[in-house]
């Protein structure tokens, strides 16, 4: 936590600079009221590197609770004479509005919305991306996707509950996830195709008659599922003891690391236990159908 006498290292963008690919925001609050922002950190990233940062202690015009002080170390004395959220709103809005904004969970999104209401300021219009969800998809085997756990796992320098450090760390989590999976920013923003929906009815005959197929990544009622069912396969909701094939969809969200997906790992466990379950990519099953 930066005390009032300290200066946060920052790089201020100019009008001539190209826009960041995304920005990251993190806030600390004075008490259980989420509008009580007492510190904010914003970091911009372009091409996988930090291009600007902004940090400010904020007078929340609200009480400080002992619990919150123990978490971040900021008290009323530290924010005395600091600007209110109403005063910094134009700066925050300029950094976030019209951009992709990353936050680690929905807390910061809710805090900014609440602060705008309390201080009678216009809502900040931005496209939100939750780095918790990014991390859950990129590293599904981790026991926790809390920011301090992720930074330790990824070797990122981090001072937990300092708004600028938290924002920087969450941004680096997204950068590492892009590198790790091969999924670009647009891919992380795209809706995650759920495996839900009603599976199409298997055709009475076809080259896949008798096969019980689970799909990794694509929905049960999507184009791949309809193709498989049209060839006679029964499309399942998950990999189980009766599954005969796992097809890795082109829509799977894990990039080149799809072998880390729970469905893939379950299929591998069954194969090690003696199951004849086959694992094929969407291209491989398409080729098989074309040659039959």
């Amino acid at each position: 936590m930066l005390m009032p006498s300290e200066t946060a290292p920052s790089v201020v963008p100019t009008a001539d600079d190209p826009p960041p690919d995304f920005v990251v925001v993190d806030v600390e609050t004075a008490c259980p009221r989420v509008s009580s922002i007492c510190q904010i950190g914003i970091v911009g990233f372009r091409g996988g590197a930090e291009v600007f940062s902004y940090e400010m202690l904020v007078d929340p015009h609200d009480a400080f609770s002992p619990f919150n002080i123990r978490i971040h170390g900021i008290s009323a004395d530290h924010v005395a004479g600091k600007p209110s959220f109403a005063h910094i709103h134009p700066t925050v809005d300029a950094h976030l509005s019209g951009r992709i904004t990353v936050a680690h969970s929905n807390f910061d999104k809710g805090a900014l919305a609440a602060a705008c209401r309390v201080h009678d300021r216009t809502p900040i219009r931005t496209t939100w991306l939750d780095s918790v969800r990014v991390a859950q998809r990129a590293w599904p085997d981790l026991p926790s996707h809390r920011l301090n756990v992720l930074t330790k796992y990824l070797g990122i320098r981090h001072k937990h509950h300092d708004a600028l450090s938290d924002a920087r760390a969450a941004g680096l989590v997204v950068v590492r996830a892009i590198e790790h999976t091969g999924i670009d920013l647009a891919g992380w923003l795209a809706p995650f195709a759920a495996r839900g929906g009603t599976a199409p009815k298997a055709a009475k005959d076809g080259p896949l008659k008798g096969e019980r197929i689970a799909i990794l990544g694509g929905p049960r009622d999507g184009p791949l599922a309809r193709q498989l069912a049209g060839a006679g396969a029964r499309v399942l909701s998950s990999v189980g003891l009766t599954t005969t094939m796992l097809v890795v969809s082109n829509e799977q969200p894990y990039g080149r690391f799809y072998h880390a997906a729970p469905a893939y790992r379950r299929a591998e466990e069954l194969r090690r236990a003696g199951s004849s379950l086959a694992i094929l990519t969407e291209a491989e099953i398409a080729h098989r159908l074309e040659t039959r």
Side-chain angles (χ1 to χ4, degrees), residues 170-283:
L172 289 172
V173 166
V174 173
V175 170
R176 297 287 185 86
I178 291 171
E179 295 171 348
H180 178 64
T181 64
I183 302 172
D184 61 13
L185 197 59
W188 290 114
L189 287 168
F192 178 38
R195 289 196 300 259
T198 301
K201 187 176 180 180
K204 292 183 179 180
D205 292 298
L208 295 178
K209 183 178 180 180
E211 299 283 2
R212 296 170 60 86
I213 301 178
I215 300 173
L216 194 167
R220 289 181 68 204
D221 55 355
L224 176 58
R226 292 193 293 272
Q227 180 187 23
L228 297 174
R234 180 177 175 183
V235 178
L236 308 177
S237 60
S238 60
V239 176
L241 294 174
T242 63
T243 304
T244 62
M245 189 181 300
L246 174 67
V247 175
V248 181
S249 167
N250 292 338
E251 299 180 43
Q252 58 85 15
Y254 298 93
R256 62 183 181 275
F257 293 94
Y258 60 83
H259 55 272
Y264 193 97
R265 289 186 285 111
R266 174 59 173 156
E268 287 285 80
E269 288 174 5
L270 292 172
R271 284 157 60 98
R272 287 193 294 270
S275 171
S276 58
L277 188 156
I279 301 177
L280 301 173
T281 65
E282 185 171 340

Side-chain angles (χ1 to χ4, degrees), residues 136-175:
Q136 287 171 338
R137 288 171 59 185
W139 300 282
D141 291 333
L142 288 181
S144 170
H145 294 88
R146 291 172 59 86
L147 192 55
N148 58 331
V149 174
L150 286 166
T151 53
K152 184 176 181 180
Y153 175 74
L154 296 172
I156 297 171
R157 292 184 61 186
H158 176 218
K159 184 177 181 181
H160 202 25
H161 295 302
D162 173 86
L164 184 62
S165 183
D166 283 350
R168 182 174 287 122
L172 289 172
V173 166
V174 173
V175 170

Side-chain angles (χ1 to χ4, degrees), residues 16-91:
D16 296 329
D17 290 334
D21 298 329
F22 64 91
V23 295
V24 196
V25 66
D26 185 88
V27 302
E28 300 296 331
T29 54
C31 65
R33 285 177 287 278
V34 293
S35 62
S36 63
I37 294 173
C38 61
Q39 187 190 35
I40 186 166
I42 300 173
V43 181
F45 284 83
R46 184 171 60 249
E50 180 179 329
V51 291
F52 76 81
S53 63
Y54 167 84
E55 186 272 346
M56 183 63 67
L57 288 170
V58 182
D59 184 346
H61 290 265
D62 207 334
F64 277 79
S65 76
F67 177 80
N68 289 53
I69 293 172
R70 283 195 297 271
I71 290 176
H72 49 56
I74 304 170
S75 68
D77 290 340
H78 297 132
V79 301
K82 296 297 178 180
S84 69
F85 180 81
H87 287 99
I88 68 167
H89 176 272
T91 301

